[in-house]
Amino acid sequence: MHQPTPPSADHCRTAERAVPPLRSAAGAPPPAPAPRAPTPSSPVTLRRPRDLPPAHDALICVALPGLTLSTADGQLAGRGLEGFYRSGRRLLSRCHLCVAGREPLPVQARMLSADRARFTGTLRAAPHGGPDPDVVVERARSADGTESIILRSAAAHPLRVPVEITLGTDLADLSAIASGAAGRDLPAGVRDAGLRWSGHSASVSVTADPPPTDALASAGMLRWELDLPPGGSVTVELRVRLDGSGPVRPAGRTTTNPLAPAHASGDDPRVQALLRTSVEDLQALLVRDPARPADMHLAAGAPWRCGLAPAEALAAARMTLPLGTRLAVGTLRILARTQLTAPGPNYGMIPGPRRDAGSHLPPGCTATEATLLFPVLLAEARRWGLPEAETDELLPAAERCLTWLREAVGDGTYLPDPQPGGPVRCETQAHAHRAALLGADLLDACGRPDGAGLRQWADTLGVAFRRDFWIDAPGGGRPAVARLPDGRHLPHLGAGLVHLLDTGLLGAGHFAPGLLDKTQTEHLARLLDGSSMDSGWGLRSLGTKEPGYNPFGHRSGAVRVHETALAAAGLIAAGYEAQASSLINGLLAAAEIFGYRLPEMYAGQQ
């Protein structure tokens, strides 16, 4: 199964060489690092960036490798991202419906599930009727490449209705669409009960049931003359198929689904609704490893990142451990097969791309994050019941990750940035500290050496971190987001600090100690609970009082759901349930507005 190219084949794995410009999962260039803030005497010259096609208002049906994107009117006009996709290729870009020579008037568009959307419209088909519509048109569109069009008559007499559907495709890859190079529609040919297109080393067919009365290849059009009895209905079903491939078989819809059924109870009914929809969405994002179909991971997101993003896949698998360990073991196996094992400074790393870190920091290294998350996920999966045989199978890869950590730190105290002269990041030290402690417990439990050395370094890191990363200020101070090579702090208040609260699970349900002491943790909890960070809809990625705050910015003020979840879990573990409850209530309020289908991020307006 072909997936869109992962964020990059080049990864931030060395400190010796500069990494070339990277490309996103869809092949589009990621946002460039933000320039330094200008001085009053050096105004910025604004240049219009190349925009990605908008997706924020699209109805996105997901059951990977299948994907459909639609606008609210239900018509696919070939604009932007519209279309049916499979494994990152657009199979159909246009599907335009006319009934009795008219487009249906859009009335409602809604998601029925993670993989299905319904569009309702009305129209007047009788030539001498009154002002009321006499035909209701319902279109049910699915990520598996099917669309059902139902015409329902409200007329008191029989209707003979001409129906025309205009189809087209460019067979473009998602990366080409993202870069604005999708190309023109391909010429169609008539095939069986529909149309067929060929090009770009692929062919696709659309078949109809019932077969059309007429098929016009030159216009890419299928026609019917349909009889509607009073109060009756008629259905036309379209099937979009990549030639040589069978129907889409989503990994989340099989008996091997790795996520166990779950139920939430409590005094707020929104919790159960959010859990049900979230698990459904996770199932829609499951992807099988082409080399080992029994192993699955979660895609980073639709539409742009339907492939493997190592750090995100590990973090998501870790969050789903209460639903079983099968997703965790599949994700770990897949990434263990990518681990770098050649001798050298990269030995033990899990490759990954750079990630934009906002305007205050240079791009971060997700290879570092993934390498540190690997032993953490294995250690915690073992706590959640991962069988001993599977733990033993994955233990050598986890040991290589911990070897890389020890070698990267060397004789120093902190895990350095992979780029020479880069800042020492607070978030990276939190990941490293957790990996050392949970990794040490894992090694001890499996009878392997080196656990004591990891704990000793973690203790040294904690003492130094509490001294070097704490900024004293009126009201108690705050942790620094990073330290520059000259010792200066980057003091802005951002959601990256929540990783200091995520210490990880040790034996008997105890949490690992963190990098902050009790008083410092209390100050951080108070900062996260303040109106600068808590938007009322979740945690902002940057505080409102910080330079560059932008409620619509990815890492400069928007609410990023997973950071809010980490903050809430960490605050509860530290004993600050009131502050955690405020963030959880904000997420539930946002979830209700989004139909319980939370996006990755949304604007951090109050």
Side-chain angles (χ1 to χ4, degrees):
M1 178 181 64
H2 169 72
Q3 285 294 326
T5 305
S8 177
D10 299 306
H11 33 269
C12 42
R13 58 187 182 186
T14 68
E16 287 80 10
R17 68 176 180 86
V19 178
L22 302 175
R23 302 189 72 78
S24 74
R36 295 183 179 274
T39 63
S41 59
S42 59
V44 173
T45 301
L46 297 179
R47 293 182 176 87
R48 179 177 174 80
R50 184 173 62 201
D51 293 330
L52 292 172
H56 69 278
D57 58 351
L59 279 76
I60 304 178
C61 303
V62 187
L64 295 180
L67 180 71
T68 69
L69 291 100
S70 313
T71 55
D73 64 3
Q75 302 279 35
L76 300 182
R79 296 185 297 263
L81 282 167
E82 296 174 21
F84 287 82
Y85 294 79
R86 180 165 180 172
S87 299
R89 183 186 294 276
R90 181 156 62 184
L91 304 187
L92 194 69
S93 57
R94 289 193 295 120
C95 184
H96 189 273
L97 172 68
C98 281
V99 180
R102 301 180 182 181
E103 291 189 44
L105 176 69
V107 173
Q108 185 189 59
R110 62 187 294 257
M111 297 294 298
L112 300 178
S113 61
D115 63 337
R116 295 181 68 237
R118 184 175 66 193
F119 308 88
T120 303
T122 61
L123 54 83
R124 289 183 294 160
H128 305 296
D132 293 339
D134 49 19
V135 175
V136 176
V137 181
E138 292 184 359
R139 306 174 71 171
R141 186 169 292 154
S142 300
D144 65 2
T146 61
E147 178 166 338
S148 177
I149 302 170
I150 304 174
L151 308 181
R152 303 185 189 279
S153 173
H157 49 81
L159 296 174
R160 188 167 182 80
V161 182
V163 174
E164 298 178 343
I165 301 178
T166 305
L167 305 167
T169 186
D170 49 15
L171 287 178
D173 284 332
L174 195 57
S175 58
I177 297 167
S179 61
R184 297 180 179 179
D185 278 2
L186 299 169
V190 176
R191 179 178 181 180
D192 298 330
L195 298 174
R196 182 175 184 268
W197 299 262
S198 295
H200 306 297
S201 69
S203 298
V204 64
S205 300
V206 175
T207 57
D209 184 19
T213 307
D214 199 6
L216 303 177
S218 59
M221 181 183 292
L222 304 180
R223 288 177 172 172
W224 293 261
E225 291 285 340
L226 301 176
D227 293 317
L228 273 174
S233 65
V234 65
T235 301
V236 174
E237 185 169 275
L238 303 177
R239 296 183 182 88
V240 186
R241 292 288 184 266
L242 187 66
D243 289 358
S245 300
V248 173
R249 295 185 178 276
R253 294 295 181 89
T254 66
T255 56
T256 56
N257 173 17
L259 303 176
H263 175 78
S265 61
D267 57 2
D268 192 327
R270 297 176 299 180
V271 172
Q272 173 61 19
L274 178 57
L275 175 64
R276 181 178 60 251
T277 305
S278 298
V279 172
E280 181 184 282
D281 288 350
L282 287 174
Q283 291 170 339
L285 290 168
L286 285 169
V287 179
R288 295 186 183 278
D289 183 1
R292 306 280 181 88
D295 294 338
M296 296 181 233
H297 68 85
L298 284 168
W304 299 119
R305 304 187 72 194
C306 294
L308 175 63
E312 285 82 353
L314 288 164
R318 185 173 174 234
M319 285 185 169
T320 65
L321 283 173
L323 304 180
T325 61
R326 290 173 64 193
L327 177 60
V329 74
T331 304
L332 289 167
R333 283 173 175 158
I334 290 168
L335 292 177
R337 292 193 282 270
T338 74
Q339 190 175 37
L340 305 177
T341 57
N346 303 321
Y347 174 83
M349 286 201 82
I350 305 293
R354 290 181 176 279
R355 180 199 290 140
D356 176 59
S359 59
H360 295 275
L361 286 167
C365 178
T366 66
T368 298
E369 185 177 342
T371 305
L372 297 173
L373 272 170
F374 191 101
V376 167
L377 178 58
L378 181 58
E380 291 187 322
R382 181 178 171 274
R383 301 284 181 203
W384 283 92
L386 184 68
E388 183 177 346
E390 292 178 327
T391 302
D392 291 344
E393 172 196 349
L394 292 161
L395 186 59
E399 288 183 292
R400 288 190 287 269
C401 292
L402 296 171
T403 297
W404 172 84
L405 171 59
R406 291 193 298 269
E407 293 296 324
V409 172
D411 295 329
T413 302
Y414 298 112
L415 180 61
D417 197 77
Q419 290 301 306
V424 178
R425 302 171 195 248
C426 164
E427 180 178 333
T428 300
Q429 308 317 308
H431 290 316
H433 185 256
R434 182 181 59 211
L437 291 179
L438 271 67
D441 263 22
L442 178 67
L443 296 177
D444 289 352
C446 297
R448 300 296 182 96
D450 298 331
L454 286 167
R455 286 194 187 86
Q456 182 177 0
W457 172 74
D459 290 344
T460 301
L461 173 64
V463 172
F465 186 92
R466 288 187 283 275
R467 178 191 67 232
D468 296 342
F469 270 77
W470 192 259
I471 304 172
D472 290 318
R478 66 174 65 174
V481 170
R483 289 182 82 230
L484 299 176
D486 60 7
R488 288 181 296 137
H489 292 125
L490 292 179
H492 64 276
L493 180 60
L497 297 176
V498 304
H499 293 278
L500 291 169
L501 300 171
D502 177 23
T503 59
L505 189 64
L506 294 176
H510 298 299
F511 290 99
L515 282 173
L516 301 179
D517 61 29
K518 183 176 181 180
T519 300
Q520 291 171 336
T521 302
E522 180 181 356
H523 290 313
L524 178 57
R526 189 166 61 245
L527 289 169
L528 297 179
D529 187 47
S531 59
S532 176
M533 290 296 293
D534 187 351
S535 70
W537 307 102
L539 192 72
R540 294 186 178 95
S541 52
L542 186 67
T544 59
K545 298 177 183 178
E546 305 301 323
Y549 165 72
N550 174 7
F552 297 93
H554 187 206
R555 295 179 185 274
S556 55
V559 174
R560 305 176 73 231
V561 174
H562 77 282
E563 285 178 339
T564 304
L566 284 176
L571 287 167
I572 290 172
Y576 298 97
E577 294 189 3
Q579 292 83 349
S581 294
S582 176
L583 294 177
I584 292 171
N585 283 326
L587 277 187
L588 289 172
E592 189 173 18
I593 291 173
F594 283 114
Y596 299 102
R597 185 154 276 117
L598 282 167
E600 177 195 1
M601 66 177 186
Y602 46 86
Q605 298 276 34
Q606 191 71 31

